[in-house]
Amino acid sequence: MKTSEFLRKAANIGCYFVFHGKEHDVWYSPVTQVYFRVSRHKSQELKGGTLNGMLKDAGLK
């Protein structure tokens, strides 16, 4: 899954952008009440472990 696809799914369940970090953007999930970092490379494929962690933090898994 690409970063842009992940962000689209996360936004659909209510996650939203909080601020630009030094190297990553920070998003917040009201479902899990967790802040999570997302790479700024929208067309980059996310690796399996990274994707699973982000899906859990966002409340998609």
Side-chain angles (χ1 to χ4, degrees):
M1 179 183 295
K2 294 185 183 226
T3 303
S4 59
E5 294 173 47
F6 168 77
L7 290 176
R8 200 171 317 120
K9 289 183 179 188
N12 284 339
I13 65 162
C15 297
Y16 57 90
F17 171 80
V18 179
F19 64 90
H20 293 290
K22 185 174 181 181
E23 297 177 1
H24 293 80
D25 291 337
V26 177
W27 283 64
Y28 178 76
S29 171
V31 175
T32 60
Q33 299 180 355
V34 172
Y35 291 92
F36 57 96
R37 299 176 352 144
V38 180
S39 172
R40 290 193 187 126
H41 303 284
K42 305 295 184 206
S43 63
Q44 178 183 17
E45 281 288 328
L46 295 167
K47 294 184 179 179
T50 303
L51 178 59
N52 284 335
M54 290 169 59
L55 288 170
K56 286 179 185 177
D57 287 344
L60 291 167
K61 192 170 189 183

